Amino acid sequence: LLMKLIYTARVDTVRQFMDAIKLPYHIVSELIHMAVDRQLLQTMGTRNSDNLLDMSYTMTELGRHWTMEALARLRYAGPAPIPIEEFSDQVNRQKLTNEIITMRRVHESVGELELPQNIIEQIGPALNSGRAILMYGPPGNGKTTVALRMASVFHDVIYVPYAVEVEGQVIRVHDPSIHIAVTSAGVDDDNGSFIRGEQSDARWVPCRRPFVITGGELTLEMLDLRYDTTGHYYEAPLHMKALGGTFLIDDFGRQLVSPTNLLNRWIVPLESRIDFLKLHTGKSFSIPFEELVIFSTNLEPEDLMDPAFLRRLPYKIEVGPPTLARYRRIFERECERQCVQLTDEAFNAIVYKVKTEKGLDFAAFQPRFIIDQVVATCRFMGQPPHFEPRFIEYAIDNLRVRRSAPVNQ
């Protein structure tokens, strides 16, 4: 692995070797001595420094051929992997349920989001349980936003490995787009001191609890290990990357895979808190299933799943349309954000057009949608943002397409 990193990353000093392979000095030093003894590396000395970390090395011709053969067998060239047993132990040590969620923390996470108190009172126990949650209700009322705020309630830093090793196979786990790294306060990474290398295991990345969201693109294959036939290593599936955090299945029921097949895939993990993955060699192994799974749908839950599966979702939270009072408060907040004055006359006109003329239920997305369109029209007309009857009409017409009258045959 060290030789592959030297070749692919074009590194040449001990300091760079340690940073690439994420192992401490005493291990890297031993590997270097082995490579020199086998005439795979040769010493180039140091440049203007007596620090052993700045000692540089270069590949010999034999080392280059030897490394190319190693890359042909396994192209993975990254930080040293963690044994799967250590990974499982660490996942179990950093469960979501280690954190106690209080009413105050939920309110802080919700912030300015306009949510009824009964939903907040349901969110807390659901988060403390760490069990799966079903969120349902008509579209446009903020189910995805609520799920994001729910995930942000958790504050702990967890540790995610760059890669894990199972039966000689390497699985890449760390994903910078999912695992947001946290810099340890007071640690100077540029020092590269022997002491720091001995004290910490750099193969683990301190991160915020991950939040993974998938929608209609989800397939069953995305929940299995993905084998790279060229590189001969694996990419961890989405739910493995979400361990210790939240996995949101958005728009549930609209995936490429049928709801029944997807639910059958999740029954065992949700019940036993253990999932099983399979290598291309046929070898199966288990990993903890310690994450918060949220199913979010605007379809009828009874149409998507049978009673047996509904029983396995102990928390079911309905996110319905706002009341008139909440609708007004959302409008006022959005108007303040856009510097638009909301009069009683304008608000009453909007309510009448939405409810009576269009026959629509209130939805939490409508205030921002209507105000954005009114402001865009005002800018086009070269006028300051304000509500004008025809501008309101244009905006509300875009909430719903006109239905054509039936043609007489």
Side-chain angles (χ1 to χ4, degrees):
L1 179 58
L2 178 62
M3 293 296 291
K4 288 189 287 186
L5 285 165
I6 293 171
Y7 181 81
T8 59
R10 301 185 182 279
V11 291
D12 60 7
T13 68
V14 177
R15 187 190 304 273
Q16 292 172 335
F17 297 168
M18 291 170 59
D19 184 61
I21 202 169
K22 306 298 183 187
L23 291 173
Y25 174 80
H26 70 278
I27 295 178
V28 174
S29 177
E30 184 177 346
L31 293 174
I32 292 171
H33 286 309
M34 290 170 59
V36 171
D37 289 343
R38 296 173 64 175
Q39 299 182 341
L40 304 178
L41 289 178
Q42 63 184 18
T43 307
M44 299 297 290
T46 61
R47 301 186 187 92
N48 304 319
S49 173
D50 294 329
N51 193 332
L52 291 177
L53 295 179
D54 295 321
M55 181 70 72
S56 63
Y57 296 83
T58 187
M59 277 189 178
T60 63
E61 194 63 29
L62 174 62
R64 193 169 287 105
H65 287 301
W66 188 89
T67 304
M68 293 297 291
E69 291 176 0
L71 283 167
R73 293 191 299 271
L74 174 62
R75 292 199 67 84
Y76 175 77
I82 300 289
I84 188 64
E85 295 80 11
E86 289 185 28
F87 172 70
S88 296
D89 288 344
Q90 183 63 30
V91 170
N92 282 322
R93 282 197 295 267
Q94 55 196 25
K95 298 177 182 179
L96 280 163
T97 51
N98 290 346
E99 297 192 51
I100 304 301
I101 305 305
T102 62
M103 179 74 79
R104 180 180 60 81
R105 285 178 67 169
V106 174
H107 274 293
E108 289 174 354
S109 178
V110 169
E112 79 289 348
L113 194 64
E114 189 63 46
L115 276 182
Q117 184 64 22
N118 68 306
I119 290 182
I120 291 176
E121 291 175 355
Q122 293 177 75
I123 286 175
L127 296 179
N128 278 323
S129 75
R131 303 289 301 278
I133 299 171
L134 171 65
M135 295 180 63
Y136 64 100
N141 285 297
K143 291 185 294 296
T144 304
T145 302
V146 171
L148 281 164
R149 298 298 178 94
M150 289 167 68
S152 69
V153 169
F154 300 100
H155 299 159
D156 280 0
V157 172
I158 66 170
Y159 291 85
V160 177
Y162 285 99
V164 299
E165 181 267 333
V166 185
E167 298 285 324
Q169 305 292 315
V170 176
I171 304 170
R172 287 201 315 185
V173 177
H174 181 258
D175 186 336
S177 66
I178 292 173
H179 302 113
I180 310 303
V182 177
T183 303
S184 299
V187 175
D188 184 358
D189 290 335
D190 293 332
N191 284 342
S193 71
F194 295 98
I195 296 176
R196 186 178 64 84
E198 297 282 340
Q199 287 180 335
S200 62
D201 190 342
R203 295 174 299 169
W204 296 89
V205 185
C207 302
R208 299 292 180 195
R209 291 193 183 274
F211 181 86
V212 177
I213 179 170
T214 181
E217 75 281 2
L218 181 64
T219 63
L220 284 182
E221 289 74 21
M222 293 169 67
L223 302 178
D224 293 327
L225 291 169
R226 182 170 62 83
Y227 183 63
D228 187 321
T229 55
T230 303
H232 305 297
Y233 60 87
Y234 297 85
E235 187 75 22
L238 288 175
H239 65 292
M240 186 173 178
K241 294 181 179 182
L243 287 171
T246 303
F247 187 54
L248 171 63
I249 303 176
D250 206 12
D251 287 328
F252 178 60
R254 303 186 188 277
Q255 280 71 33
L256 295 173
V257 59
S258 73
T260 301
N261 290 338
L262 182 58
L263 294 174
N264 287 337
R265 172 66 177 85
W266 287 106
I267 281 181
V268 171
L270 290 176
E271 190 77 12
S272 65
R273 314 300 291 174
I274 294 174
D275 191 29
F276 292 89
L277 298 174
K278 182 179 288 187
L279 302 170
H280 77 286
T281 59
K283 171 72 176 180
S284 294
F285 64 96
S286 65
I287 58 171
F289 193 72
E290 292 297 339
E291 60 194 65
L292 178 67
V293 180
I294 303 177
F295 295 89
S296 174
T297 183
N298 52 37
L299 303 175
E300 285 296 331
E302 289 80 3
D303 296 338
L304 295 174
M305 55 191 80
D306 58 31
F309 197 87
L310 275 171
R311 180 175 58 82
R312 289 173 168 84
L313 300 177
Y315 291 93
K316 305 168 185 67
I317 301 175
E318 182 179 9
V319 182
T323 62
L324 180 61
R326 284 183 56 228
Y327 196 66
R328 175 74 186 240
R329 288 195 296 270
I330 297 171
F331 249 109
E332 290 171 346
R333 185 171 289 118
E334 288 300 319
C335 283
E336 184 178 354
R337 184 179 65 87
Q338 295 271 32
C339 299
V340 183
Q341 184 180 4
L342 179 66
T343 64
D344 289 341
E345 181 183 4
F347 179 74
N348 291 336
I350 291 168
V351 168
Y352 177 80
K353 291 179 181 297
V354 169
K355 293 287 287 185
T356 304
E357 291 188 0
K358 291 293 182 182
L360 296 172
D361 289 328
F362 290 143
F365 84 96
Q366 292 169 358
R368 176 172 292 189
F369 180 91
I370 292 169
I371 295 167
D372 284 347
Q373 296 226 351
V374 167
V375 170
T377 304
C378 290
R379 285 175 181 163
F380 174 73
M381 302 291 287
Q383 300 176 12
H386 69 288
F387 287 108
E388 191 167 313
R390 70 180 192 279
F391 296 169
I392 294 173
E393 188 82 32
Y394 300 153
I396 293 178
D397 278 346
N398 286 326
L399 285 174
R400 188 177 203 174
V401 295
R402 296 180 185 274
R403 293 180 177 176
S404 301
V407 178
N408 294 327
Q409 299 295 331

